[in-house]
């Protein structure tokens, strides 16, 4: 079992795992930079302590509530942000969805 925000969780749906949950459990860290997995776009985002993503788009700082929202802002179409974005680990990009699996394995 895992305690998150005062709630004890023994079972959780994979898709309900949020960036905030990953940050609170120290799987991801505030300030970590995320990059598009495909590497086409020269854009990056920063994970915030509250589970949002900050990105500079056209010289304006924007905040997104989800990886998919941030990906949609870059691609101008609906995108699964959990597979669109990655975090650098050991000189390789690791898909954000991988960290959801790590979280779920720790329950």
């Amino acid at each position: 079992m895992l305690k998150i925000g005062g709630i004890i969780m023994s079972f959780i749906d994979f898709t309900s795992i949020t960036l905030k949950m990953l940050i609170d459990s120290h799987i991801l860290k505030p300030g970590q930079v995320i990059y598009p997995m495909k590497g086409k776009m020269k854009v990056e985002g920063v994970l915030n302590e509250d589970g949002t993503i900050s990105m500079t788009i056209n010289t304006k700082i924007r905040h997104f509530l989800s990886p998919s929202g941030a990906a949609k802002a870059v691609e101008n179409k609906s995108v699964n942000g959990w597979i669109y974005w990655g975090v650098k680990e050991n000189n390789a990009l690791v898909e954000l969805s991988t960290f959801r699996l790590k979280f779920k394995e720790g329950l």
Side-chain angles (χ1 to χ4, degrees), residues 47-60:
L47 300 179
N48 300 310
E49 190 172 347
D50 64 359
T52 61
I53 298 169
S54 296
M55 290 177 26
T56 301
I57 300 176
N58 297 326
T59 69
K60 292 183 182 179

Side-chain angles (χ1 to χ4, degrees), residues 47-105:
L47 300 179
N48 300 310
E49 190 172 347
D50 64 359
T52 61
I53 298 169
S54 296
M55 290 177 26
T56 301
I57 300 176
N58 297 326
T59 69
K60 292 183 182 179
I61 297 175
R62 296 188 53 197
H63 301 278
F64 299 91
L65 299 176
S66 69
S68 295
K72 184 176 183 178
V74 173
E75 296 292 332
N76 293 314
K77 63 181 180 180
S78 292
V79 179
N80 181 341
W82 290 95
I83 60 175
Y84 181 84
W85 298 106
V87 174
K88 285 187 181 177
E89 282 192 349
N90 302 317
N91 296 323
L93 278 179
V94 179
E95 221 175 70
L96 278 183
S97 63
T98 303
F99 299 98
R100 276 179 154 175
L101 288 173
K102 287 182 184 181
F103 180 89
K104 191 160 181 158
E105 288 170 0

Side-chain angles (χ1 to χ4, degrees), residues 27-42:
I27 293 171
L28 293 174
K29 298 179 180 103
Q32 270 186 296
V33 178
I34 59 173
Y35 305 90
M37 290 296 296
K38 302 285 185 203
K40 294 178 185 175
M41 303 294 292
K42 297 290 183 188

